[in-house]
Amino acid sequence: MSELIVSDKWMYLLLALAINLFASFTMYNMIGHFKLVRKLRHYWLLSGAAVYALGLWVCHFIVLIATDNMIVIDWTSVINLFGIMCCAYFSLWLLGSARIFVIKLLLSSLIMAAGTVFLNYASLLSDQVQDYSVHTGLVCFAFVLSFLGTAYSFHLFEQKNGTYLMLPGLMLGLSGFATHLIGLLAITILYSIVLTTDRLNEYMRLLAVILGITTLVIFAFSLLASFVERRYNAMNERYKLLVENSMDMIAIIRDEYWEYINDSGLQMFETDNESDLLGKSIYMHLQTKCHSDMKRMLQVTAQGLGQGPTELIWNTVKGKPLFTEVVQTSTRMSGKPVFQVIVRDISERKKNEELLINSEKLYVAGQLAAGIAHEIRNPLTSLKGFLQLLASGRHNNKNYFDIMKSELNRIESIVSELLMLSKPQIYELSHKDIRQIMNDTITLLEAQAILHNIEMEWSPGQEPLWVLGVENQLKQVFINVIKNAIEAMLDGGRILIRCIREDDQIMVRIEDYGPGIPEEQMAKIGQPFYTTKEKGTGLGLM
């Protein structure tokens, strides 16, 4: 080894090291993009493996020249090249897989180290080898050195996510170069041929051609990788501008933890410090009642099923409630599954909806107050007048008490209807014959119909028509509808009442011959206090 330093052959070692480092940098530069372009993944893997194999292969021959070892170029040289290329490809493929990091790091480093060491000893398969001796300790040391250097290089590359390539490339190049030097010291080969000057010159010319072609190939791949990197950086800058300038929160979730949040998301959660959210559980600021919704959304998205926006309620870093609408998709980053989410702040919309609901409540309350005042004021006015007459002692007519009692009953009826609207009632359902309920209703209204010169035609039929319901409520419905029919026919007429069975349903049909209901009024039927009657309350149908 000292002879190499004294002589000019140390320049060969520098050349071999430079080529190996250049090939390592180029390989890392190429495979730094294969995770981003899935369709070209194997192309980048194969190209990176080919570049590294060429660099290591040429480095091997230059080291042979520098150390005065005999150079033999035959079919084993081709095996050397393709052997290290295959090892490099499978090693890089494992490194980019979705396996556990420690496992894939160990396996890929073992395969790469095995290929590097194999390059020194594949020539033993040549027919021109007569005898050889191997120093096992040095071989093991070379393998361990290659394994540790490769593992540390891969570890640095994975930790930096392929963005910083100088140190990983330096470690891989140095470990490969050192493995070759130690590996050559560990073996002594006796060839059956003599390397003549003519054959040596021929080998040197061939090596010069190979070196030139290899340098051009590595340089071409390096230019290609640089071009792709510039294109990627330009695209990444455009996407970064879109994400950072988005009004909505755009974030990435990995293993239920925040991995990335844009500036809008930080502002939404009322914080300027990324550490308040990044690396923290997504459930930390999510309200407890929404945890199940978030888990279900993650499960559905992971299965590749589509779903619409989900409303979730969070608490900001300062504890303020945050109403949001969340949309998410499943993707992969650095070979690992992640979720990309878009979170939109709908707190203002929720406030507007609440204001609208309160406004509608106030409007209904105003209608209710106006209806109560209008409906109760008339009987109260009558009662007040009668009380004044009775108090003066000028009139003593028992008929006044009947009228006053009637007016009080009227007020009680209005209040009862209002209470029924304001408070839900609990009823017991029972099976009743709809014919009997309708027959009782007709009996109640028969006298009123005769006074209005109206004939009610009712044919109950022979077959019982059983329904499950509340008798008094059903009767109230029929009373309101038939009363409306009676009051609609001012000059008399007929009301046809039918109860029939249609398949599994009971049909009740009440038909009158009044003027009908105009189309513009149909949409208002059932609204509180809407009536076309002079003395109606607008609560019957409601």
Side-chain angles (χ1 to χ4, degrees), residues 242-402:
L242 289 174
V243 170
E244 292 298 333
N245 294 328
S246 172
M247 297 180 63
D248 297 326
M249 171 181 172
I250 299 178
I252 293 175
I253 299 174
R254 188 196 298 271
D255 298 330
E256 299 187 351
Y257 288 87
W258 297 114
E259 182 165 297
Y260 167 79
I261 298 176
N262 65 349
D263 291 338
S264 297
L266 297 178
Q267 295 175 9
M268 191 180 297
F269 278 87
E270 297 183 328
T271 180
D272 297 327
N273 191 356
E274 291 184 347
S275 61
D276 291 337
L277 295 174
L278 294 186
K280 304 294 179 62
S281 172
I282 59 176
Y283 301 104
M284 180 177 178
H285 294 285
L286 184 64
Q287 292 193 4
T288 305
K289 62 182 179 181
C290 297
H291 285 188
S292 58
D293 294 334
M294 172 61 82
K295 290 181 182 294
R296 183 171 56 254
M297 186 170 64
L298 292 175
Q299 292 174 356
V300 172
T301 306
Q303 294 172 2
L305 303 177
Q307 60 178 342
T310 303
E311 291 190 6
L312 299 176
I313 306 175
W314 313 74
N315 290 323
T316 65
V317 175
K318 297 181 180 179
K320 179 182 175 183
L322 177 64
F323 296 87
T324 63
E325 201 172 60
V326 181
V327 177
Q328 70 174 6
T329 56
S330 177
T331 183
R332 298 184 71 86
M333 179 174 284
S334 299
K336 299 178 181 177
V338 296
F339 296 98
Q340 178 182 339
V341 296
I342 300 176
V343 183
R344 175 164 295 178
D345 186 357
I346 59 172
S347 300
E348 196 66 30
R349 190 175 79 188
K350 286 292 184 181
K351 289 181 181 178
N352 293 335
E353 290 177 357
E354 186 176 352
L355 289 174
L356 181 61
I357 292 173
N358 290 334
S359 176
E360 291 179 350
K361 288 180 179 178
L362 290 174
Y363 175 72
V364 173
Q367 282 189 318
L368 184 62
I372 294 173
H374 180 269
E375 294 299 326
I376 295 182
R377 183 173 53 185
N378 291 335
L380 285 178
T381 302
S382 301
L383 288 172
K384 182 179 179 182
F386 289 137
L387 287 173
Q388 288 175 348
L389 287 175
L390 292 174
S392 65
R394 289 178 294 175
H395 294 277
N396 188 12
N397 191 338
K398 292 183 179 181
N399 190 37
Y400 289 162
F401 292 102
D402 295 334

Side-chain angles (χ1 to χ4, degrees), residues 407-419 539:
E407 293 299 298
L408 288 171
N409 289 335
R410 182 178 169 190
I411 293 175
E412 183 182 11
S413 175
I414 294 171
V415 172
S416 297
E417 288 185 350
L418 291 173
L419 288 175
L539 296 174

Side-chain angles (χ1 to χ4, degrees), residues 198-224:
D198 293 338
R199 178 171 290 186
L200 178 61
N201 291 333
E202 183 181 348
Y203 281 170
M204 294 298 291
R205 285 194 297 271
L206 182 59
L207 284 176
V209 173
I210 293 174
L211 178 61
I213 294 175
T214 302
T215 305
L216 287 175
V217 170
I218 296 176
F219 184 70
F221 276 112
S222 179
L223 290 178
L224 177 62

Side-chain angles (χ1 to χ4, degrees), residues 102-214:
V102 176
I103 294 177
K104 70 180 183 180
L105 181 65
L106 293 176
L107 290 176
S108 58
S109 301
L110 282 172
I111 294 175
M112 185 71 86
T116 305
V117 173
F118 172 77
L119 187 60
N120 281 328
Y121 307 111
S123 58
L124 298 178
L125 301 174
S126 175
D127 299 333
Q128 301 175 10
V129 175
Q130 184 176 353
D131 193 14
Y132 65 90
S133 62
V134 178
H135 192 292
T136 308
L138 286 178
V139 173
C140 293
F141 178 71
F143 179 80
V144 172
L145 179 65
S146 178
F147 171 74
L148 293 178
T150 304
Y152 186 56
S153 175
F154 284 169
H155 174 72
L156 291 174
F157 176 72
E158 283 289 300
Q159 292 299 109
K160 299 295 183 180
N161 292 323
T163 57
Y164 185 72
L165 308 177
M166 184 64 69
L167 192 55
L170 182 64
M171 288 300 304
L172 186 64
L174 286 174
S175 64
F177 177 73
T179 300
H180 269 72
L181 286 179
I182 298 173
L184 288 175
L185 292 174
I187 186 171
T188 302
I189 303 176
L190 179 64
Y191 291 94
S192 59
I193 61 171
V194 178
L195 185 62
T196 62
T197 304
D198 293 338
R199 178 171 290 186
L200 178 61
N201 291 333
E202 183 181 348
Y203 281 170
M204 294 298 291
R205 285 194 297 271
L206 182 59
L207 284 176
V209 173
I210 293 174
L211 178 61
I213 294 175
T214 302

Side-chain angles (χ1 to χ4, degrees), residues 22-182:
F22 186 35
S24 300
F25 294 146
T26 304
M27 181 199 73
Y28 275 131
N29 199 21
M30 299 186 74
I31 69 171
H33 304 287
F34 77 84
K35 296 176 183 177
L36 304 173
V37 188
R38 296 182 184 179
K39 294 182 179 179
L40 301 178
R41 180 174 184 267
H42 293 287
Y43 166 77
W44 290 112
L45 281 175
L46 187 59
S47 300
V51 166
Y52 180 73
L54 281 171
L56 202 61
W57 188 62
V58 172
C59 173
H60 170 72
F61 284 110
I62 295 177
V63 171
L64 287 176
I65 296 174
T67 55
D68 287 333
N69 283 278
M70 185 171 180
I71 301 174
V72 177
I73 300 178
D74 56 5
W75 60 273
T76 59
S77 302
V78 179
I79 292 179
N80 277 337
L81 178 60
F82 282 97
I84 186 61
M85 185 184 299
C86 292
C87 289
Y89 174 81
F90 286 110
S91 178
L92 298 177
W93 177 80
L94 276 173
L95 189 65
S97 65
R99 292 174 174 81
I100 300 174
F101 176 71
V102 176
I103 294 177
K104 70 180 183 180
L105 181 65
L106 293 176
L107 290 176
S108 58
S109 301
L110 282 172
I111 294 175
M112 185 71 86
T116 305
V117 173
F118 172 77
L119 187 60
N120 281 328
Y121 307 111
S123 58
L124 298 178
L125 301 174
S126 175
D127 299 333
Q128 301 175 10
V129 175
Q130 184 176 353
D131 193 14
Y132 65 90
S133 62
V134 178
H135 192 292
T136 308
L138 286 178
V139 173
C140 293
F141 178 71
F143 179 80
V144 172
L145 179 65
S146 178
F147 171 74
L148 293 178
T150 304
Y152 186 56
S153 175
F154 284 169
H155 174 72
L156 291 174
F157 176 72
E158 283 289 300
Q159 292 299 109
K160 299 295 183 180
N161 292 323
T163 57
Y164 185 72
L165 308 177
M166 184 64 69
L167 192 55
L170 182 64
M171 288 300 304
L172 186 64
L174 286 174
S175 64
F177 177 73
T179 300
H180 269 72
L181 286 179
I182 298 173

